[in-house]
Amino acid sequence: MTGFFSEDTSVETVNARMGADIDPRMAEVFAAVIKHTHALVKEIGLTQAEWEQVIGFLTATGQICSDERQEFILLSDVMGLSMLVDAINNRRPEAATENTVLGPFHVAGAPERAMGETISLDGKGESCLFEGRVLDLDGQPIEGARIDVWSDNADGFYDVQQPEVQPKWNNRGVFTTGADGAYAFRGIKPVSYPIPDDGPVGKLLAALGRHPYRPAHIHFIVTAPGFDTLVTHTFAGEDDYLTSDAVFGVKQSLVAPYERREDGAETTWRSPFDFSLTRV
Amino acid sequence: MTGFFSEDTSVETVNARMGADIDPRMAEVFAAVIKHTHALVKEIGLTQAEWEQVIGFLTATGQICSDERQEFILLSDVMGLSMLVDAINNRRPEAATENTVLGPFHVAGAPERAMGETISLDGKGESCLFEGRVLDLDGQPIEGARIDVWSDNADGFYDVQQPEVQPKWNNRGVFTTGADGAYAFRGIKPVSYPIPDDGPVGKLLAALGRHPYRPAHIHFIVTAPGFDTLVTHTFAGEDDYLTSDAVFGVKQSLVAPYERREDGAETTWRSPFDFSLTRV
């Protein structure tokens, strides 16, 4: 009889219940969610006690969320789902610079700076010259490309995580290319840091035998009229966590050179990287 | 290079990250969660905007949870997952009474009552005599079986939902069988009612073109030494929502007869039902 539940027909029973006039994409997504979640429960033979643990975990994850903390995004991150969604929605030709996740620390409205200026305002860390060009897929320079950049400071924190400690807009800035498509600015060699691991997702990582660290990286959003927006990081190649990023953000093509220079007593760096954008 | 993310190898990359010394069941469950969630995202081509909607939905679902409300259980219920977990964990021979979900309204410690007594304390509703026997799979009566019963009142609310309105333990009681395995008590013919639909799950049901109602039912937990615990309901057969229970709790074998009797001006009912338990 229609509508009655059985283990064998569970997917069909639930999906047959949808109304005929609902949004077609809603119907498609929900049907797939039911198919895959039921298959998961059947495959692992989820026990009643484990089901209660899952309910408890999801509830705790939701309850710790606030204006300053998004634990479900963190969960998506450590499951590789954020990177997967990013990958699916940003498939590009081989020659184009690859996307990676935006992360939670971008702030719109960072100061526009002149080429060559520094973004590091707290005097901490090892100075690094970031430079390169913004190109189209034929290698031609893009004029008027906007490079929005942000990184952590030498203690591993973004300015918004330490509003009382760091100067506002520390390690942030926006640069616009000229006719040569070139960019150059000073910042610091970024450092690795842990994602917030004092909540349910941190406990999950511990239970999985995983550490919460992200390898050192600097974030970029590169936009130009007529081109697809590029959201990416570049990574420092020798980082201990490069092949074990807690959020799976690393792609091989995004590992940038960091060239060491001894300027007297001081160590400074140069990290050259070209961005290649696809046309809309 | 190992540890780097790509769309094609996303599942392997995430699962390879688990530590070697973790709990084997944790590893098995997490690996399956990753396999199925990544397959889901790939199959539907989840967009960035849809991903944000999912994050928002899960967050709202967690945030509305409280000591009095468990929205994630409700979500599991309307997805058929609660019934699926119940089914997987309570596979029984054909002759045994089938399980269905416990629901959120069971309260331990209901009053022990003598056979034939009523559980309805608020004087509302149409009186119903519930009676039958508790049997083993050979049809032999089980002595000392404990029947813990609860239902909504004629307004569609459980006593715990209306502590200021209903008498404590209204429509609840515990009965213990004698040597004949028989039970009998008076209650009311239960009525259909909506699950809480003023939160995220209610919005989901609306988007799916589904109503929030459960068909009229009465809950039972039947226990006896040496037998598997039975958690079930019986349903009133002519209910409008019988084939569209919002939580998929109905099984055909649990639809019980409700025999109408005209006692002078009053309508009363009799609902006979035998429970058949499996040995541990």
Side-chain angles (χ1 to χ4, degrees), chain B residues 207-247:
Chain B
L208 293 170
R210 285 170 47 182
H211 67 73
Y213 281 85
R214 297 214 61 202
H217 60 277
I218 179 167
H219 293 262
F220 296 93
I221 298 177
V222 187
T223 51
F227 291 87
D228 265 336
T229 295
L230 171 66
V231 176
T232 199
H233 325 338
T234 60
F235 295 87
E238 85 292 9
D239 194 282
D240 285 348
Y241 302 112
L242 199 67
T243 57
S244 65
D245 184 354
V247 309

Side-chain angles (χ1 to χ4, degrees), chain B residues 126-127 186 259-263 266-270:
Chain B
E126 295 175 345
S127 182
R186 289 213 158 262
E259 303 164 0
R260 179 194 281 268
R261 297 168 166 199
E262 303 297 337
D263 283 3
E266 230 181 328
T267 299
T268 66
W269 301 82
R270 174 178 173 266

Side-chain angles (χ1 to χ4, degrees), chain A residues 65-192:
Chain A
C65 289
S66 68
D67 287 348
E68 288 80 39
R69 179 164 187 161
Q70 227 312 341
E71 195 84 355
F72 273 116
I73 291 187
L74 217 53
L75 178 59
S76 168
D77 292 348
V78 303
M79 292 174 69
L81 290 169
S82 305
M83 276 300 287
L84 182 59
V85 171
D86 186 76
I88 285 173
N89 289 284
N90 295 286
R91 294 184 186 117
R92 292 186 185 132
E94 188 109 356
T97 303
E98 292 188 277
N99 240 56
T100 187
V101 283
L102 177 66
F105 297 121
H106 180 251
V107 181
E112 308 260 353
R113 301 195 188 281
M115 287 301 175
E117 281 194 339
T118 188
I119 59 172
S120 172
L121 308 179
D122 64 355
K124 291 184 174 180
E126 296 175 346
S127 182
C128 182
L129 174 66
F130 295 88
E131 62 180 345
R133 290 191 302 164
V134 182
L135 306 168
D136 68 16
L137 292 194
D138 300 323
Q140 297 303 308
I142 301 176
E143 182 174 3
R146 224 168 153 272
I147 303 176
D148 189 345
V149 58
W150 67 106
S151 82
D152 60 345
N153 77 349
D155 299 326
F157 295 101
Y158 293 84
D159 60 349
V160 290
Q161 295 178 286
Q162 297 188 311
E164 311 287 314
V165 174
Q166 295 189 37
K168 192 170 164 76
W169 304 118
N170 190 31
N171 293 306
R172 297 179 189 269
V174 175
F175 300 87
T176 304
T177 59
D180 60 359
Y183 74 90
F185 64 90
R186 289 211 158 264
I188 61 161
K189 184 164 183 284
V191 301
S192 56

Side-chain angles (χ1 to χ4, degrees), chain A residues 1-7 10 13-15 17-20 22-23 25-30 32-48 50-51 55-56 58-59 62-66 70 72-73 76-91 98 204 206-211 242-253 255, chain B residues 1-7 10 13-15 17-20 22-23 25-30 32-48 50-51 55-56 58-59 62-66 70 72-73 76-91 98 204 206-211 242-253 255:
Chain A
M1 196 165 162
T2 181
F4 287 178
F5 190 89
S6 78
E7 194 179 325
S10 67
T13 301
V14 174
N15 284 338
R17 198 66 69 75
M18 282 188 276
I22 68 173
D23 176 70
R25 177 63 175 168
M26 179 75 200
E28 181 188 10
V29 170
F30 187 77
V33 168
I34 295 303
K35 185 179 82 172
H36 286 281
T37 52
H38 283 229
L40 168 62
V41 166
K42 290 175 186 184
E43 180 178 316
I44 61 182
L46 194 71
T47 69
Q48 197 77 34
E50 288 168 342
W51 174 84
I55 296 288
L58 293 172
T59 305
Q63 302 248 305
I64 206 174
C65 289
S66 68
Q70 227 312 341
F72 273 116
I73 291 187
S76 168
D77 292 348
V78 303
M79 292 174 69
L81 290 169
S82 305
M83 276 300 287
L84 182 59
V85 171
D86 186 76
I88 285 173
N89 289 284
N90 295 286
R91 294 184 186 117
E98 292 188 277
L204 175 65
L208 293 170
R210 286 171 47 181
H211 67 72
L242 199 68
T243 57
S244 64
D245 184 354
V247 309
F248 303 97
V250 185
K251 290 174 176 174
Q252 189 144 21
S253 68
V255 179
Chain B
M1 193 167 164
T2 179
F4 287 177
F5 189 90
S6 78
E7 192 179 326
S10 68
T13 302
V14 175
N15 284 338
R17 198 65 69 74
M18 281 187 277
I22 68 173
D23 176 70
R25 177 63 175 169
M26 179 75 200
E28 180 187 11
V29 170
F30 188 77
V33 168
I34 295 303
K35 184 179 84 171
H36 286 282
T37 53
H38 283 231
L40 168 63
V41 166
K42 290 175 186 184
E43 180 178 316
I44 62 182
L46 194 72
T47 69
Q48 197 76 36
E50 288 168 343
W51 174 83
I55 296 288
L58 292 173
T59 306
Q63 302 248 301
I64 207 173
C65 289
S66 68
Q70 229 311 342
F72 273 116
I73 291 187
S76 168
D77 291 348
V78 303
M79 292 174 69
L81 289 169
S82 305
M83 276 301 286
L84 182 58
V85 170
D86 186 76
I88 285 174
N89 288 284
N90 296 285
R91 295 186 186 116
E98 291 189 277
L204 175 66
L208 293 170
R210 285 170 47 182
H211 67 73
L242 199 67
T243 57
S244 65
D245 184 354
V247 309
F248 304 96
V250 185
K251 291 175 176 174
Q252 188 144 21
S253 69
V255 179

